[in-house]
Amino acid sequence: MANGRDNKLTGHIAEHLVCAELGRRGILATPFSGNVPTFDLLAADENCRAVPIQVKATTSDNWRTDASRWMDLRVDRRSQRQIYGGPTMLDAAEMIYVMVALGAREPEAIPDRFFVLTRRELQAAYVSSYTAFMERQSWLRPRSPKSFDCRVTVSDLSCYEDRWSLVVEQTSSTPKPVSGKQKVAPQPTSENRSKTGVKRS
């Protein structure tokens, strides 16, 4: 079982791999090593237009989450069945997520894989996966009725693989930052004060 150090290392590797892939496409990116709670790295084009990106890594073929983060769920006290109330409202629904499936070097080389999508699209994938699973269980988890364990797999996200164009599209649609020196309004002199009728205080 992976420990905290292994999980941290896996996350760091994934973030730097994403930065490298973006660099190959002419986009400068830098990771923040978990120091920013809302995103993992910042990507910018040659015009300094930047977008935040979340990176989620796995060493298996799926990404685990708590389903209640993405959908409205509650457990009926009597039946212990879960009740689905629809997807939750998202903040920053268009934020980019890069889901990284880390490959292996031994015993057989397996390449790293990248799946690029928005938070809204990731939510739809989690909702689809969880509701399909729970419907097969008649919305009752026999071992742990209150468990909201949810996963999406590589196959669930296959249509988003290597969709780096999403990052390019979002950076190009971001307004350019203001550059150059800003003009400062001239301060009134004693001469133009007398012309405009402005008196000294």
Side-chain angles (χ1 to χ4, degrees):
M1 181 180 292
N3 56 34
R5 179 182 178 278
D6 291 339
N7 290 336
K8 197 73 173 177
L9 186 58
T10 296
H12 283 330
I13 292 170
E15 289 171 13
H16 285 282
L17 286 172
V18 171
C19 288
E21 290 294 326
L22 290 171
R24 291 176 179 176
R25 291 160 176 82
I27 297 176
L28 180 65
T30 183
F32 288 86
S33 301
N35 294 321
V36 181
T38 53
F39 59 89
D40 295 310
L41 57 90
L42 202 62
D45 66 7
E46 68 277 8
N47 294 310
C48 297
R49 296 176 295 196
V51 294
I53 295 176
Q54 274 274 10
V55 178
K56 299 298 181 184
T58 183
T59 54
S60 64
D61 67 345
N62 66 80
W63 294 266
R64 186 177 183 178
T65 190
D66 183 328
S68 63
R69 288 184 54 201
W70 304 94
M71 58 201 91
D72 180 19
L73 294 166
R74 64 185 181 86
V75 180
D76 182 78
R77 289 185 178 181
R78 285 190 175 183
S79 66
Q80 293 295 291
R81 295 182 189 278
Q82 292 186 17
I83 299 173
Y84 170 59
T88 58
M89 293 291 292
L90 296 176
D91 293 327
E94 299 306 311
M95 176 179 278
I96 295 173
Y97 276 64
V98 181
M99 313 296 280
V100 183
L102 294 175
R105 300 294 173 262
E106 296 176 354
E108 181 180 352
I110 301 174
D112 304 309
R113 299 177 68 181
F114 305 89
F115 304 84
V116 189
L117 65 166
T118 65
R119 178 178 284 173
R120 190 192 310 277
E121 291 166 334
L122 182 58
Q123 178 188 45
Y126 275 125
V127 168
S128 177
S129 174
Y130 193 74
T131 55
F133 170 75
M134 291 303 293
E135 283 172 3
R136 292 194 298 271
Q137 311 299 319
S138 298
W139 289 92
L140 177 63
R141 302 188 81 140
R143 294 185 179 179
S144 182
K146 295 182 180 180
S147 171
F148 296 135
D149 181 72
C150 176
R151 302 165 193 240
V152 290
T153 66
V154 164
S155 59
D156 292 331
L157 303 182
S158 60
C159 61
Y160 303 112
E161 188 163 11
D162 291 328
R163 188 189 170 204
W164 299 106
S165 59
L166 180 63
V167 183
V168 177
E169 290 167 8
Q170 285 207 14
T171 52
S172 63
S173 64
T174 301
K176 291 183 180 179
V178 177
S179 60
K181 295 181 179 180
Q182 296 184 1
K183 292 183 178 180
V184 179
Q187 297 296 317
T189 62
S190 57
E191 182 179 351
N192 59 32
R193 278 197 193 98
S194 61
K195 290 180 180 180
T196 58
V198 176
K199 297 181 180 181
R200 291 186 179 182
S201 56

